[in-house]
Amino acid sequence: VHEFKGWSDIWVGKIEAEPTLDVENIISTENNITIISENNKIFTIRNAQNKDITIYDMLGKQIFSKHLNSDLEEINLQNANCGLYLMNFNDGTQAAKIIVK
């Protein structure tokens, strides 16, 4: 039996990162799909091969769509306005909120 010693004892999920990557850059890691913010307008998606990704603004307008062909894909949102967006995958495995600064 594990004795609760504080909120730091509670694990919500597993985060895997390269040693040179700041944990703050990892947006989401669900179902082996990792979303990483490179510079607030460029995002790297790992382990999402053969999935379609769609990004919506908070009004529900689609601003980006792409079929991911490889296990490592870059999403460039340089032309997007600053704000909060929803990133969805076509198979319903994951959705993430991303912030474009």
Side-chain angles (χ1 to χ4, degrees):
V1 175
H2 179 74
E3 181 182 338
F4 178 72
K5 295 179 183 173
W7 289 110
S8 62
D9 285 349
I10 297 176
W11 291 90
V12 177
K14 179 175 83 173
I15 295 178
E16 296 177 1
E18 294 177 5
T20 59
L21 185 66
D22 291 334
V23 174
E24 293 85 28
N25 293 350
I26 299 174
I27 295 171
S28 180
T29 57
E30 288 183 30
N31 300 313
N32 272 344
I33 298 172
T34 304
I35 303 168
I36 303 166
S37 172
E38 299 293 333
N39 72 359
N40 297 320
K41 291 221 176 203
I42 298 176
F43 299 86
T44 300
I45 313 294
R46 292 186 180 167
N47 301 321
Q49 185 174 6
N50 296 322
K51 293 184 187 285
D52 295 319
I53 186 172
T54 307
I55 299 176
Y56 300 94
D57 66 14
M58 294 312 290
L59 298 174
K61 179 182 173 188
Q62 179 179 320
I63 65 151
F64 183 88
S65 182
K66 181 178 181 178
H67 179 76
L68 304 176
N69 293 310
S70 68
D71 281 342
L72 185 64
E73 292 273 349
E74 183 177 279
I75 305 299
N76 186 334
L77 298 179
Q78 293 291 340
N79 295 326
N81 293 327
C82 295
L84 183 63
Y85 294 88
L86 295 175
M87 182 182 290
N88 291 318
F89 292 90
N90 64 318
D91 60 359
T93 58
Q94 183 173 0
K97 292 179 184 173
I98 59 172
I99 298 174
V100 175
K101 296 181 183 179

